[in-house]
Amino acid sequence: MSKPLRFGVLGASDFALRHMARAIHEAEGAVFAALATSSEDKATPFRAFAPDIAVFTDYDAMLASEGIDAVYIPLPNHLHVDWSLKAMEAGKHVLCEKPIAMKAAEIDRLIAKRDETGLLCAEAFMIVHHPQLQRVRDLLAAGEIGRLERVEVGFSFDNPDVTNIRNRPETGGGALGDIGVYAFGCARFATGEEPVAITHAEITRENGVDVTAEVSARFPSFGYHGYVSMRMAPFQEARFHGRSGVIVVKTPFNAGVAGLAEIEITDGQGTRRVESFPTVRQYVMQVENFVCSATEGASYPWSLEDAKGTQAMIDAVFKAAFDADQG
């Protein structure tokens, strides 16, 4: 049996504390070995469940440590590419929060470094590790609802705090980067298709940050409509509408946290069935899949190329909205 993959967490973010550091700590084949933070005091809540972690108050010092094999990066969006590159240059595998880059072209640098080093570098897009989205993909491929005609996705929450990094342009904030990756990525993953045109893009901004975006797109075989917002009541749903049936995913993104992981399938006669995944923990599964890929060469379900495809769609939405405003 291979040795456990020793993870260092680069930044004491609230999300790392609530979800990913705990997932690393609990995942089979992984060890939460270290935390890099600007203040050792920020390590206290992490030590409550992982008392043996090493704490570095210098990011580069953690990257230089021989006791670290992989790095999880939950830093603000605008820092993702540079620290992912630094980590690979230090010989570490990289699992970086989404969006892994602010522009699709920036991901080319990560792909080149990945290929040069042979290390695993991936965006932490946890929903592709959950069996509910994998099941949707398989049902669509099997023709369960006939020809797919339309995909509709909504994802929203209310975050008016102007000091939060999601609301600050200098830290790469914005609804499209934060949750648009889910609204677009889930459609791409489930269908295996890429958009051929953005047919409508309307973006509402506050303080230089996109807080709401409504998007329509054309894929080769279906139409897409979705919205994301940081100024609406919490909601999430993905709907796949075919000629002979409908698949609805009630909690496609924060399954097990915001609601139950369930797929509702309705056929053309109105017969409905529900498939549930009550015990799946997608953050833990993400870490375990990362470990298997990094240590055993197993296929990883979300490559940098996959992440680039979603970012390319985000880039296209921004351009379409800009063009519409100018025209």
Side-chain angles (χ1 to χ4, degrees):
M1 183 176 180
S2 60
K3 294 180 180 179
L5 199 67
R6 300 165 299 178
F7 277 83
V9 175
L10 200 65
S13 75
D14 182 63
F15 184 80
L17 175 62
R18 289 185 294 113
H19 296 294
M20 280 301 296
R22 294 176 187 272
I24 292 167
H25 183 61
E26 297 173 21
E28 185 175 348
V31 173
F32 177 24
L35 174 70
T37 173
S38 58
S39 169
E40 190 159 347
D41 290 342
K42 294 180 180 179
T44 300
F46 291 86
R47 281 180 164 150
F49 63 88
D52 296 328
I53 57 169
V55 176
F56 295 85
T57 54
D58 180 271
Y59 289 4
D60 289 303
M62 192 182 80
L63 294 184
S65 172
E66 295 183 358
I68 301 300
D69 306 307
V71 175
Y72 165 67
I73 303 175
L75 296 172
N77 296 344
H78 70 298
L79 300 174
H80 288 175
V81 170
D82 286 346
W83 280 103
S84 293
L85 289 170
K86 287 182 180 182
M88 283 190 282
E89 288 166 357
K92 316 302 183 189
H93 300 287
V94 175
L95 180 62
C96 181
E97 267 310 319
K98 50 76 199 160
I100 201 168
M102 300 303 299
K103 296 285 186 181
E106 295 176 353
I107 299 177
D108 290 338
R109 298 165 61 199
L110 299 176
I111 291 171
K113 183 61 67 176
R114 176 202 65 187
D115 294 347
E116 174 191 331
T117 60
L119 295 163
L120 175 60
C121 179
E123 183 179 63
F125 194 54
M126 76 286 188
I127 65 172
V128 300
H129 303 271
H130 199 296
Q132 72 170 354
L133 190 59
Q134 296 170 2
R135 178 64 171 152
V136 170
R137 178 193 57 191
D138 293 344
L139 289 170
L140 293 175
E144 182 75 15
I145 59 171
R147 175 185 169 86
L148 181 64
E149 295 289 343
R150 188 168 177 83
V151 176
E152 297 182 349
V153 183
F155 193 11
S156 62
F157 63 96
D158 189 22
N159 178 14
D161 180 5
V162 295
T163 66
N164 187 277
I165 61 172
R166 294 170 180 81
N167 287 310
R168 293 164 52 192
E170 69 271 19
T171 56
L176 283 166
D178 189 46
I179 56 178
V181 292
Y182 295 118
F184 301 160
C186 78
R188 294 178 54 250
F189 179 82
T191 66
E193 293 190 15
E194 301 293 342
V196 295
I198 305 300
T199 56
H200 175 77
E202 184 176 349
I203 294 175
T204 302
R205 296 178 182 272
E206 294 179 12
N207 191 37
V209 167
D210 55 294
V211 297
T212 299
E214 185 171 350
V215 177
S216 295
R218 186 71 225 170
F219 283 70
S221 65
F222 64 90
Y224 172 93
H225 180 76
Y227 67 89
V228 294
S229 180
M230 303 192 300
R231 297 295 188 272
M232 296 170 67
F235 177 80
Q236 55 183 277
E237 184 176 277
R239 182 181 300 267
F240 300 83
H241 202 144
R243 288 277 182 91
S244 58
V246 181
I247 298 172
V248 178
V249 189
K250 294 291 187 180
T251 316
F253 311 125
N254 302 121
V257 177
L260 298 176
E262 291 185 342
I263 301 170
E264 182 181 274
I265 304 137
T266 305
D267 66 20
Q269 287 71 49
T271 303
R272 183 178 303 170
R273 75 178 192 273
V274 176
E275 298 183 9
S276 301
F277 309 85
T279 62
V280 174
R281 301 177 65 195
Q282 61 186 355
Y283 296 112
V284 174
M285 293 192 71
Q286 176 177 245
V287 175
E288 291 180 346
N289 285 341
F290 186 91
V291 169
C292 287
S293 183
T295 61
E296 301 173 15
S299 176
Y300 195 72
W302 192 252
S303 68
L304 289 176
E305 287 81 1
D306 292 322
K308 183 179 177 181
T310 295
Q311 189 59 51
M313 186 171 177
I314 292 173
D315 293 350
V317 168
F318 277 121
K319 183 178 186 304
F322 177 81
D323 290 346
D325 290 342
Q326 298 302 303

